[in-house]
Amino acid sequence: MGDNILAINCGSSTLKFQLIETNGEITTLGQERRLASGIVDKICGAAIIKFTSENGERLTENAEVDDHGEATHRMLDWLNSLSSLKTAGLRAVGHRVVHGGNLFTEPTLINDEVIEAIEALSYLAPLHNRPSLMAIRAARESLVPAVPMVAIFDTSFHNTLPEQAYQYAIPKELALKHRIRRYGFHGLAHQYMTERYTAITSKPIDQTKLVTLQLGNGCSVTAVNGGRSVDTSMGFTPLEGLVMGTRSGDIDPSLPGFLARSENVDIEEVESWLNTRSGLLGISGRSRDMRELLEAERQGDSSAALAVEMFCYRVRKYIGGYLAALGGADAIVLGGGIGENSPEVRARICDGMEWFGLTLDQERNAATIGSEERISVNNSRVHVYVIPVDEESIIARDTVRCLYKHLQK
Ligand code: ADP
């Protein structure tokens, strides 16, 4: 298994992985051979572990997993326990890292200085880089002899934003002093949807205009022109933009100060409310989970119905804005748990868009759950695609590219 890549993808309370076979290069995203894959869910408590291999070996277990470091050790121990998949022959490990700030604009070979720099960026987004750093450190400890490791940044894809899109209208000196700008996140997901769209349609990437939507617990939308991100809804942190599972998305910027004064709490407390108690959960007072809210709406819960409606309305407004920014688009692409699996939400987002030439094919929409498909009618001027996102595929591909680049130096 000399050329196999282990792709590790840490979220705030999850660790997903895929062990991917490569032949020294990955040319078609999403089509690679997966030797093993799995998830440790609900880390920092009673976690659920589900690992499977291509040969049918499985581990399904409920266990206390304190952090992403422990989750990494469990994953590597399991891989080592499979005679067919020992990590001894691993070519490299790729890690998704959420925030690269303005220091990391491309995949980067990990060494001590890189780890320190990723750590130093934590002041920009305290919650976001810690899980990956724990996984990186745990993998370094466990993998003997050492295996090269590469960091792939969720911010990199948005490095092409033009200044008019990435600047905030705040005093310039403050923006410079504190490196305040819109960084954008979910870059791997938006890049995957873009590249798969061009693969499916055989359209040259430089002639393609897309609005890509990652709709999961975290949600973001990106305007992509010629394969380059030109605007995106998440900003300095992942809090900006769409209504999300527990994040508010866009609000009046004076609200945090107002709430801190009115409730007599620190601003950090208000930030935590906006990150963890808002969005679908805050509006519905019930759940952050779209499936549960759709069900509650059917049972007559008006708060759940409002949460779903606000979610769809915000997405629709952003699509309209980005179509204006791009001067029209070839397609809207939907991914993420909600985008991939909910025909109902997709239909509600696209409702009333016929005026600019977007018409859903209701049957195709209803039949498309978790699969790659065009769901607009044949003659829709702007098409709609569902493209299930495989971030690990990008991690593996970019890890291989980064290694070869270094070998050539
Ligand atoms: P994350 O951003 O944490 O990776 P996911 O991409 O898995 O999350 O998306 C989770 C969201 O997808 C949840 O709101 C969940 O309810 C929603 N979802 C998953 N399946 C369905 C479905 N069949 N219908 C509606 N929503 C769904």
Side-chain angles (χ1 to χ4, degrees), residues 16 214-218 288-291 294 336-338 341-342:
K16 293 188 219 159
Q214 168 69 12
L215 304 179
N217 281 314
R288 66 172 193 172
D289 189 291
M290 182 58 87
R291 249 172 316 193
L294 290 167
I338 300 171
N341 298 307
S342 179

Side-chain angles (χ1 to χ4, degrees), residues 90-106:
L90 256 192
R91 179 75 185 87
V93 180
H95 294 268
R96 167 174 167 249
V97 177
V98 173
H99 214 314
N102 53 2
L103 290 179
F104 297 106
T105 54
E106 50 185 53

Side-chain angles (χ1 to χ4, degrees), residues 37-228:
S37 62
I39 181 166
V40 185
D41 200 2
K42 301 193 197 309
I43 296 173
C44 306
I48 305 162
I49 298 175
K50 284 187 192 158
F51 298 159
T52 53
S53 81
E54 196 191 27
N55 295 336
E57 290 110 333
R58 276 174 198 282
L59 177 72
T60 308
E61 191 176 80
N62 293 337
E64 282 293 314
V65 178
D66 288 339
D67 57 39
H68 290 75
E70 193 180 336
T72 306
H73 284 301
R74 282 180 182 262
M75 167 191 63
L76 291 172
D77 288 348
W78 182 73
L79 287 174
N80 271 324
S81 75
L82 308 177
S83 51
S84 56
L85 293 179
K86 285 201 182 304
T87 53
L90 256 192
R91 179 75 185 87
V93 180
H95 294 268
R96 167 174 167 249
V97 177
V98 173
H99 214 314
N102 53 2
L103 290 179
F104 297 106
T105 54
E106 50 185 53
T108 304
L109 204 57
I110 295 174
N111 56 28
D112 290 341
E113 289 84 62
V114 169
I115 293 178
E116 269 172 38
I118 295 173
E119 189 137 45
L121 282 171
S122 296
Y123 82 97
L124 287 174
L127 302 175
H128 300 98
N129 282 356
R130 248 189 67 179
S132 312
L133 280 167
M134 285 189 189
I136 290 169
R137 291 205 166 100
R140 277 188 136 194
E141 272 164 35
S142 286
L143 291 167
V144 181
V147 172
M149 300 211 281
V150 176
I152 318 288
F153 296 92
D154 232 8
T155 41
S156 302
F157 184 60
H158 303 299
N159 199 39
T160 49
L161 291 186
E163 201 167 357
Q164 66 194 29
Y166 77 68
Q167 292 287 12
Y168 287 106
I170 60 171
K172 201 173 177 175
E173 64 280 7
L174 285 177
L176 281 173
K177 182 173 172 194
H178 299 290
R179 294 193 216 156
I180 297 169
R181 53 162 285 171
R182 311 186 64 257
Y183 288 102
F185 298 87
H186 283 158
L188 276 56
H190 292 290
Q191 185 177 1
Y192 184 86
M193 286 186 269
T194 302
E195 293 193 31
R196 278 303 298 161
Y197 171 83
T198 54
I200 298 166
T201 58
S202 305
K203 287 221 166 108
I205 198 162
D206 55 351
Q207 290 163 32
T208 303
K209 288 183 187 176
L210 297 174
V211 178
T212 53
L213 288 146
Q214 168 69 12
L215 304 179
N217 281 314
C219 299
S220 65
V221 46
T222 296
V224 186
N225 193 349
R228 297 157 70 86

Side-chain angles (χ1 to χ4, degrees), residues 229-244:
S229 168
V230 293
D231 207 345
T232 193
S233 59
M234 285 177 166
F236 180 61
T237 73
L239 185 56
E240 192 179 343
L242 301 177
V243 174
M244 310 182 212

Side-chain angles (χ1 to χ4, degrees), residues 237-393:
T237 73
L239 185 56
E240 192 179 343
L242 301 177
V243 174
M244 310 182 212
T246 60
R247 296 187 196 128
S248 62
D250 296 337
I251 53 166
D252 185 322
S254 61
L255 265 184
F258 175 81
L259 277 174
R261 289 188 297 275
S262 307
E263 293 286 313
N264 198 20
V265 294
D266 291 340
I267 203 86
E268 287 81 5
E269 182 72 20
V270 180
E271 282 174 1
S272 139
W273 297 345
L274 295 175
N275 272 294
T276 62
R277 288 178 48 193
S278 301
L280 294 174
L281 174 64
I283 307 161
S284 69
R286 178 175 191 133
S287 171
R288 66 172 193 172
D289 189 291
M290 182 58 87
R291 249 172 316 193
E292 280 181 44
L293 294 176
L294 290 167
E295 184 50 39
E297 183 184 26
R298 282 191 279 275
Q299 309 289 331
D301 182 328
S302 57
S303 301
L306 179 64
V308 178
E309 205 42 51
M310 282 174 68
F311 179 93
C312 297
Y313 177 63
R314 181 84 55 90
V315 172
R316 207 156 55 230
K317 279 208 299 192
Y318 264 93
I319 291 175
Y322 285 178
L323 286 171
L326 288 166
D330 302 293
I332 290 161
V333 184
L334 294 124
I338 300 171
E340 292 161 22
N341 298 307
S342 179
E344 183 176 346
V345 173
R346 294 193 301 246
R348 285 165 74 165
I349 289 171
C350 297
D351 189 31
M353 291 197 178
E354 292 80 9
W355 64 271
F356 69 81
L358 185 160
T359 313
L360 271 197
D361 181 322
Q362 300 300 344
E363 275 175 30
R364 279 194 199 184
N365 181 36
T368 302
I369 296 178
S371 57
E372 211 170 69
E373 208 69 61
R374 195 188 83 205
I375 57 167
S376 45
V377 297
N378 290 348
N379 62 355
S380 191
R381 191 148 44 86
V382 178
H383 279 298
V384 185
Y385 281 77
V386 174
I387 297 188
V389 169
D390 185 349
E391 292 178 317
E392 289 76 15
S393 173

